[in-house]
């Protein structure tokens, strides 16, 4: 089946691509090409990698909306595939052309792929910060985290990602049903907090960091009209019928 | 508080270098005339330009606390110099063509004898001595650097400050053509400005530096002339100075202008006063793994604490 082959290709490409930053990092460490402040360098690289993965994960839904010209939030819960994943939404009126639907179906599972890699890089980032950097000095770590908003925002982001990583399997998705969708909305506050985290951590707000912030903000904002339309077409109409 | 042995105040290597200065006066005078390099026949001719180069000789492999010198490579390739680039690893490359000669430094303001010095005059009039200082960046990393230079008080004495002078204002070069970083500002206009209280400026530890590791400063380190105030965060040590003015009003430092709540005028290294967004209790020493406790006044408490007697350092941070 062509569709499955496309989906497989997308997953392989995404996994390989998502492992690349780790490969680069291992190479840089092995080749002794880190900066003069190596722990800071590794921490910063892992943080950036986590940020990239989170951004990619959040880009999937808008991309699918764009490709299929449908609202992924409409009726998604009613269509769950045998594997437990929410199916790619079918357009209500004008049927989308075949190829774009196949592409959308192929990239739809990448939310999970990139989401899990975001969790992996965030976990490594936190590991380097807590164990490699402050491991020998736990009292300093407590001081660095407790009083510092950037560290608290980062830690909270990671904590928010934990249940999402744990419940990322098809089994959990089926088991939780509608609650799974609600639970995974935690990715939105996580994205907001991570922006605060990296803006507060730097001495000055650079253009580079503003681009990251704008990308994440943009990916959240494009969802607003989709949510509003979905809410109107589903919930409100249904409530009116019930009344 | 430890007891102070007078020998601790001036590190041993300085005693030694001063002794060699005295015993080798003739040779040094000749050396100064020939090379414009000041102290020591062991000094190599000044290195100029570029990222390349090897360190010259130093008088001690450690500072007075026994901390090892940071490698020449790291000292010259891990720099904060936003006028060139915000990438610390990129400054050496971005600054390699920076033109540091001819260069003059205007010393003016509330002085009896304002004067513009050519760098050659500064090299000649204020002979280099070596000072091995710890440098603590506000970003919580640190280095140990063997500077060459002369106490700032010598040049200030030369121009004779008037009684009204209360502060010293330093100004760095403004030249966006050579310093691409100056094309962007962060809400504070270039050039970089710094300031010291007059008594801080007159303190013997405050160095006007022309070199490090036995050689002339490279562009990335603030060539040809920079300030070094070892008990303050690194950003106080302004680079590529073109003007030093004695003034009555407290100057607004570049970083204070950027974020007054985060970067105060004094910027004394103080583990008990955190940056509002991160802890200052510890630091990473470049070249070491692990963390070190940050020392009060960066380890120069005995020498400088009296400057701040009676002040609330939490407020005057």
């Amino acid at each position: 089946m062509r569709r499955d082959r496309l989906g497989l290709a997308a997953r392989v490409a995404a996994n390989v691509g998502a492992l690349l930053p780790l490969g680069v990092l291992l190479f840089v460490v092995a080749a002794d090409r880190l900066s003069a402040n190596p722990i800071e360098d590794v921490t910063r690289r892992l943080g950036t990698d986590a940020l990239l993965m989170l951004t990619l994960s959040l880009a999937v839904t808008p991309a699918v909306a764009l490709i299929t010209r449908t609202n992924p939030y409409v009726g998604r819960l009613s269509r769950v595939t045998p594997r437990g994943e929410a199916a790619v939404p079918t357009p209500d009126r004008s049927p989308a052309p075949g190829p774009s639907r196949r592409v959308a179906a192929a990239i739809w599972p990448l939310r999970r792929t990139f989401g899990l890699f975001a969790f992996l890089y965030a976990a490594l980032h936190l590991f380097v910060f807590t164990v490699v950097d402050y491991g020998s000095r736990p009292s300093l770590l407590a001081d660095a985290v407790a009083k510092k908003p950037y560290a608290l925002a980062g830690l909270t982001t990671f904590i928010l990602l934990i249940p999402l990583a744990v419940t990322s399997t098809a089994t959990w998705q089926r088991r939780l049903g509608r609650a799974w969708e609600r639970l995974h909305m935690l990715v939105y506050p996580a994205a907001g907090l991570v922006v605060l985290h990296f803006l507060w951590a730097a001495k000055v707000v650079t253009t580079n960091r503003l681009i990251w912030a704008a990308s994440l903000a943009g990916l959240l904002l494009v969802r607003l009209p989709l949510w509003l339309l979905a809410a109107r077409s589903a919930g409100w109409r249904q409530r009116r019928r019930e009344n | 508080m430890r007891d102070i042995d007078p020998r601790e105040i001036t590190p041993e290597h300085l005693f030694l270098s001063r002794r060699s200065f005295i015993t080798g006066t003739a040779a040094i005078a000749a050396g100064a005339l020939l090379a414009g390099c000041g102290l020591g026949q062991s000094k190599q001719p000044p290195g100029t330009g570029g990222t390349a180069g090897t360190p010259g000789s130093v008088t001690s492999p450690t500072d007075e606390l026994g901390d090892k010198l940071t490698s020449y490579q790291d000292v010259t390739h891990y720099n904060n110099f936003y006028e060139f680039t915000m990438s610390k690893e990129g400054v050496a490359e971005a600054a390699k063509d920076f033109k540091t000669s001819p260069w003059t430094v205007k010393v003016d303001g509330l002085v009896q004898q304002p004067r513009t010095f050519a760098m050659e005059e500064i090299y000649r009039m204020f002979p280099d001595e070596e000072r091995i200082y710890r440098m603590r960046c506000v970003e919580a990393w640190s280095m140990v650097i063997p500077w060459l230079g002369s106490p700032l008080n010598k040049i200030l004495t030369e121009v004779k400050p008037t009684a009204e002078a209360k502060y010293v204002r330093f100004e760095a070069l403004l030249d966006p053509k050579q310093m691409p970083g100056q094309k962007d500002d962060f809400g504070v206009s270039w050039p970089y400005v710094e300031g010291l209280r007059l008594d801080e400026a007159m303190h013997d530890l405050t160095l006007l530096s022309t070199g490090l590791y036995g050689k002339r400063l490279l562009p990335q380190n603030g060539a040809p002339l920079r300030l070094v105030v070892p008990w303050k965060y690194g950003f106080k040590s302004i680079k590529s100075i073109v003007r030093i003015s004695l003034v009555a009003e407290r100057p607004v430092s570049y970083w204070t202008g950027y974020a007054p709540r985060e970067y105060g005028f004094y910027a004394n290294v103080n583990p008990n006063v955190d940056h509002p967004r991160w802890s200052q209790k510890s630091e990473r020493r470049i070249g070491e793994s692990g963390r070190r406790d940050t020392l009060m006044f960066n380890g120069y408490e005995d020498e400088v604490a009296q400057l701040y007697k009676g002040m609330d350092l939490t407020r005057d941070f």
Side-chain angles (χ1 to χ4, degrees):
Chain A
M1 278 169 69
R2 275 165 68 198
R3 189 181 135 184
D4 274 347
R5 232 184 295 153
L6 193 61
L8 183 68
R11 272 200 292 273
V12 168
N15 279 280
V16 170
L19 279 168
L20 266 182
L22 190 61
V24 169
L25 179 61
L26 291 176
F27 169 78
V28 167
V29 171
D32 197 19
R33 289 201 191 161
L34 288 171
S35 83
N37 196 351
I39 296 176
E40 188 265 353
D41 197 357
V42 171
T43 311
R44 193 163 33 82
R45 282 167 189 265
L46 286 169
T48 309
D49 298 341
L51 192 55
L52 173 63
M53 295 303 144
L54 186 68
T55 308
L56 288 173
S57 179
L58 283 167
V60 172
T61 298
V64 164
L66 202 67
I67 291 168
T68 63
R69 301 220 188 84
T70 59
N71 186 343
Y73 294 110
V74 173
R76 186 164 72 197
L77 294 169
S78 59
R79 286 189 290 274
V80 175
T81 66
R83 293 187 63 231
E85 290 171 14
V88 177
T90 325
D92 289 338
R93 287 179 219 120
S94 57
S100 69
R101 254 198 71 73
R102 282 207 303 278
V103 170
I107 66 169
W108 190 241
L110 302 187
R111 291 184 308 167
R112 171 199 286 161
T113 312
F114 291 128
L116 281 173
F117 274 106
F119 181 73
L120 171 74
Y121 284 114
L124 290 172
H125 175 70
L126 183 64
F127 172 80
V128 172
F129 181 76
T130 53
V131 178
V132 181
D133 196 353
Y134 281 97
S136 56
R137 310 295 300 278
S139 62
L140 286 178
L141 177 65
D143 176 73
V145 175
K147 288 190 284 178
K148 298 304 143 197
Y150 91 88
L152 281 175
L155 189 64
T156 312
T157 306
F158 183 74
I159 291 169
L160 290 179
L161 292 181
I162 293 173
L164 306 194
V166 169
T167 62
S168 66
T169 61
T171 317
W172 271 105
Q173 203 171 7
R174 241 188 338 261
R175 195 181 297 167
L176 293 174
R178 195 171 281 270
W180 187 91
E181 291 283 333
R182 257 180 260 130
L183 177 67
H184 279 247
M185 285 177 139
L186 284 177
V187 73
Y188 307 129
L193 280 169
V194 86
V195 169
L196 290 180
H197 171 63
F198 68 74
L199 290 182
W200 280 339
K203 196 159 73 173
V204 296
V205 174
T206 57
T207 317
N208 189 26
R209 282 171 201 250
L210 281 179
I211 291 170
W212 280 114
S215 309
L216 281 173
L219 289 173
L220 296 191
L221 284 176
V222 296
R223 286 168 156 80
L224 266 181
L226 298 176
W227 282 328
L228 290 174
L229 289 170
R232 204 174 61 182
S233 74
W236 297 357
R237 203 175 295 165
Q238 197 180 344
R239 224 169 290 145
R240 214 176 297 143
R241 237 179 282 137
E242 282 164 4
N243 292 344
Chain B
M1 290 284 290
R2 61 198 167 102
D3 272 342
I4 320 154
D5 183 319
R7 271 171 303 184
E8 281 187 277
I9 293 173
T10 306
E12 187 182 29
H13 65 269
L14 283 186
F15 276 123
L16 293 178
S17 67
R18 280 175 195 163
R19 189 167 307 149
S20 74
F21 181 83
I22 293 159
T23 54
T25 309
I28 288 157
L33 284 173
L34 290 172
C37 182
L39 176 72
Q41 52 277 55
S42 61
K43 296 286 172 324
Q44 294 170 0
T48 49
T51 57
T54 49
S57 60
V58 292
T59 54
S60 167
T62 67
D63 67 6
E64 82 284 7
L65 300 178
D67 292 358
K68 269 173 53 188
L69 299 182
T70 304
S71 76
Y72 183 69
Q73 170 70 22
D74 285 347
V75 169
T76 54
H77 289 80
Y78 194 72
N79 313 98
N80 266 328
F81 205 164
Y82 284 6
E83 282 90 331
F84 290 104
T85 167
M86 295 180 68
S87 155
K88 285 189 264 291
E89 296 87 44
V91 175
E93 175 63 24
K96 70 177 193 306
D97 296 324
F98 183 55
K99 205 162 166 285
T100 57
S101 174
W103 190 281
T104 57
V105 182
K106 185 195 261 186
V107 186
D108 64 355
L110 301 171
V111 297
Q112 290 172 31
Q113 294 172 4
R115 176 164 176 185
T116 298
F117 294 88
M119 275 315 293
E120 292 68 27
E121 294 177 286
I122 289 177
Y123 297 139
R124 197 172 58 240
M125 294 174 67
F126 311 103
D128 284 339
E129 40 184 291
E130 188 178 75
R131 299 282 185 97
I132 299 181
Y133 287 157
R134 293 170 291 286
M135 197 199 65
R136 167 62 156 79
C137 179
V138 75
E139 299 165 2
W141 53 268
S142 61
M143 293 182 174
V144 181
I145 303 172
W147 299 105
L148 293 175
S150 163
L152 174 66
N153 58 38
K154 290 194 180 164
I155 200 168
L156 295 183
T157 308
E158 190 70 29
V159 296
K160 298 193 170 71
T162 65
E164 294 85 61
K166 297 283 180 289
Y167 294 92
V168 185
R169 179 185 183 277
F170 303 86
E171 192 177 302
L173 181 69
L174 177 66
D175 186 356
K177 276 198 194 105
Q178 285 205 83
M179 296 173 144
Q182 289 183 337
K183 286 169 188 155
D184 308 313
D185 68 58
F186 311 103
V188 190
S189 52
W190 297 102
Y192 202 91
V193 168
E194 259 307 338
L196 293 173
R197 226 169 49 191
L198 188 58
D199 57 344
E200 297 176 318
M202 296 300 287
H203 194 284
D204 185 60
L205 284 178
T206 304
L207 195 71
L208 207 50
S209 172
T210 56
L212 57 81
Y213 261 107
K215 298 182 81 175
R216 289 266 182 270
L217 289 175
L218 292 174
Q220 61 265 39
N221 295 109
L225 189 70
R226 67 169 294 166
L227 187 67
V228 182
V229 194
W231 71 92
K232 292 177 180 283
Y233 292 118
F235 69 83
K236 291 295 286 186
S237 293
I238 182 172
K239 293 165 170 165
S240 303
I241 298 169
V242 294
R243 189 174 179 193
I244 300 172
S245 310
L246 280 291
V247 294
E249 304 283 314
R250 181 194 285 187
V252 179
S253 304
Y254 184 86
W255 282 100
T256 308
Y258 174 72
R261 234 173 45 79
E262 302 191 347
Y263 308 98
F265 171 77
Y266 287 97
N268 291 318
V269 176
N270 188 339
N272 307 314
V273 177
D274 283 345
H275 184 280
R277 292 183 286 127
W278 58 78
S279 172
Q280 295 292 22
K281 275 197 176 14
S282 67
E283 66 202 49
R284 282 194 213 99
R285 178 67 49 83
I286 299 302
E288 289 180 2
S289 54
R291 282 188 169 262
R292 287 172 165 263
D293 288 321
T294 290
L295 304 174
M296 187 65 202
F297 293 115
N298 205 21
Y300 302 96
E301 186 171 14
D302 294 344
E303 290 87 344
V304 301
Q306 86 279 357
L307 292 172
Y308 310 101
K309 208 176 285 174
M311 284 173 58
D312 177 0
L313 296 179
T314 321
R315 209 181 41 122
D316 289 316
F317 55 87

